[in-house]
Amino acid sequence: MVITSESQELLTKMRDFIYNELLPYEKAMNIKTEEVIPTETIRWVRNRAIELGFYGITLPHEYGGQNVSLKELCLLKEELARSGSALWGFVLGEKGGVLRIGQMLESFTKEQIEKYVNPLIRGETSCCFALTEPGAGSDARAIQTTAVKDGDGYILNGIKHFISAAPYSDFAIVICKEVVEEKFAGITAFLVDKKTNEKPGYELGETQIPISGERGTGELIFNNCRVPSENILGASGKGFLLGIKRISQNRAIWGVTYIGVAQRALDLSIERANERKQFGQSIGEFQAIQHMLADMATEIYAARCMVYDAVDRMESGEDNRATASMVKLFTSEVAGRVLDKAVQIFGGQGLLKGHPIEQMYRTVRMFRILTGTSEIQRNTIAKELLQTK
């Protein structure tokens, strides 16, 4: 992959921030991946990222972004994931930030931009995208959260769960079944505020702690939650298409996160192979270890090539749903295989609770489920293949 001088300059700037500011800050403040991230910490990361031009970097210039390409976004995302930073997801605005709405900007009205988008761009608020429910994960059409037309607004009822950034979001983009005069009127997206003492809205339910130990996922509860009609995002009955558009690109772009984590595991494994001594020599001199490292590097290289090819296709306007599923499937499973070998190379150290390899091993197991399981990706790919016959 050829990296332009402009992209290289951007990447160098990111590395400088990560290793000279972000990681030292985390160490000084004792920020841990598996602990609650303080609000003031999130605010610091976002403000510093805004100052450096990283926050919302893919946004158009008129929204304060740099309109960088998806390829440049991927370069920055991989570097962040590779660093092992606990705060990496806040730098570009992924975890509850501005990248949550970047692909949907054209769907917001002027009033919605003023009320919701601009504060998000300034780093003053957080948001989440609420699609998944207890009975509707990969089958998005099975959602049961309803929005019933009532006068000049809607009444929302239901539960969303496994919602990323839910614990610290100020508002949510909520996908609902719209009901008008007791008839199903389509899938509609709503902008819904979090309930506070000053305003009605959704309630934050249980913080759901996954196998990775991170505390950034939770439930949203809608109990006769009133939302004005002007809070419909996009057109009534078109929310499913809005969600699918976002999901397809996300599946491909998340591939570089998986690669970044896998690359970090390889970096640490190479270091371990050179430093660990057994039988009077470094374990890196044993052919069994060499073969594991070679397989890890080869799979990472293949996965990286796949992601950037898919990104090129997206930027050229190709229909990308099946391609995005291929990327999600392959990169998530590569990360799992790489971490499995890393644990083997580290031996007992790699099994210790809190060790970077042990923590990453738990994290990558989620990749084959989050944003659509591997089985769902295979279904999507197969349907596309059969339709072209």
Side-chain angles (χ1 to χ4, degrees), residues 74-92:
C74 286
L75 289 171
L76 298 179
K77 279 194 64 171
E78 182 179 342
E79 196 63 35
L80 282 162
R82 183 178 183 175
S83 73
S85 165
L87 302 173
W88 73 269
F90 298 103
V91 176
L92 296 172

Side-chain angles (χ1 to χ4, degrees), residues 85-105:
S85 165
L87 302 173
W88 73 269
F90 298 103
V91 176
L92 296 172
E94 285 189 289
K95 288 191 176 181
V98 70
L99 289 192
R100 288 281 167 185
I101 52 91
Q103 300 164 38
M104 299 178 280
L105 272 177

Side-chain angles (χ1 to χ4, degrees), residues 36 51 101 137 151 156 179-180 183 193 198 202 207 224 260 269 307 310 315 320 326 344-345 354 371-372 374:
V36 175
E51 291 170 0
I101 52 91
L156 274 57
V179 179
V180 178
K183 294 182 180 179
D193 293 304
E198 294 78 28
Y202 66 83
T207 296
N224 292 323
S269 296
V307 169
E315 295 196 310
N320 56 49
M326 291 179 189
Q344 205 69 17
I345 290 170
T371 323
S374 290

Side-chain angles (χ1 to χ4, degrees), residues 33-34 209-215 353 359 362-364 366:
T33 302
E34 299 186 35
I209 304 172
I211 192 173
S212 67
E214 297 170 84
R215 296 169 184 268
K353 179 72 173 176
Q359 198 279 329
R362 286 184 283 117
T363 296
V364 300
M366 301 193 305

